[in-house]
Amino acid sequence: MAKKVMEVVKNLDVQRYMGRWYEIASFPSFFQPKNGIDTRATYTLNPDQTVHVLNETWSDGKRVFIEGTAFKADPKSDEAKLKVRFYVPPFLPIIPVVGDYWVLFIGPDYQYALIGEPSRKYLWILARESRLDEEIYNQLVEKAKEEGYDVNKLHRTQHSATPPESDSAPSDTKGIWWIKSIFGK
């Protein structure tokens, strides 16, 4: 049976989308530390209308992060289908890696979002706060299910009572987390 075509948000207000988003849940992936907590993304609009992406998590007490750029997959489309480019490894960024970032659903007040991509291998539930109302969470899970995702793979992201600030913890400047993630650790 063929999977249905995924619906994505149309006419996303990019300016309203900018700012910090906390990862509430996601499908585990090789490019994130397995023991990461307080995971979040911060989006900033660049003068050329691309988006600066800062993904952060805390692993073994250290801040690990990667920076990239997001841009519209088709500049003429009104759909929220973006591409995100990161350079790896983070400690010597020389190899470009590009992935899809599709906004499948956005709350009416831009306080929560469901992010996916066409292969359905990756899924994120994001919110402006580090906690999300259980009813809203369940609605987003149901929406993901409707889009053909196996929601049994969703993993809730642990957050501290007070999420850390970027400069309040030592950083993994050697990229050890990235090397470990390649080996599934």
Side-chain angles (χ1 to χ4, degrees):
M1 181 174 126
K3 291 186 179 178
K4 76 173 211 147
V5 175
M6 228 181 285
E7 290 183 36
V8 298
V9 171
K10 289 186 172 25
N11 300 310
L12 180 74
D13 184 338
V14 176
Q15 196 70 342
R16 285 183 75 190
Y17 196 76
M18 296 299 98
R20 180 166 287 168
W21 290 89
Y22 292 90
E23 180 186 279
I24 302 302
S26 67
F27 282 2
S29 62
F30 75 91
F31 51 81
Q32 286 184 269
K34 300 277 184 260
N35 64 345
I37 64 169
D38 295 315
T39 304
R40 63 188 181 206
T42 304
Y43 305 122
T44 310
L45 194 60
N46 292 321
D48 65 358
Q49 300 307 298
T50 61
V51 176
H52 175 262
V53 177
L54 170 62
N55 288 343
E56 302 172 283
T57 193
W58 275 255
S59 176
D60 299 325
K62 291 185 178 178
R63 174 183 174 254
V64 296
F65 66 95
I66 191 164
E67 294 181 88
T69 303
F71 52 94
K72 285 199 70 154
D74 177 359
K76 296 176 183 158
S77 173
D78 65 347
E79 294 182 313
K81 292 182 178 179
L82 305 174
K83 295 281 189 184
V84 182
R85 180 184 306 115
F86 295 100
Y87 287 89
V88 296
F91 52 86
L92 182 64
I94 56 174
I95 303 166
V97 176
V98 178
D100 291 297
Y101 182 108
W102 290 10
V103 182
L104 305 177
F105 183 82
I106 186 84
D109 52 1
Y110 281 63
Q111 293 300 300
Y112 49 89
L114 182 66
I115 309 302
E117 49 76 51
S119 75
R120 295 174 174 83
K121 286 184 194 172
Y122 305 109
L123 181 70
W124 293 269
I125 293 177
L126 305 178
R128 295 293 189 172
E129 301 292 326
S130 60
R131 309 266 184 290
L132 183 63
D133 178 80
E134 197 66 19
E135 186 177 330
I136 293 171
Y137 176 82
N138 290 332
Q139 289 170 2
L140 293 172
V141 169
E142 192 57 38
K143 174 75 174 148
K145 198 186 293 186
E146 291 168 10
E147 294 298 339
Y149 282 89
D150 177 2
V151 296
N152 294 318
K153 295 193 287 187
L154 265 176
H155 170 76
R156 294 240 192 171
T157 305
Q158 181 183 340
H159 287 279
S160 305
T162 306
E165 287 304 316
S166 298
D167 55 2
S168 67
S171 291
D172 175 2
T173 57
K174 297 181 175 109
I176 302 299
W177 71 270
W178 188 81
I179 294 166
K180 288 165 80 176
S181 73
I182 291 173
F183 296 105
K185 307 234 181 230

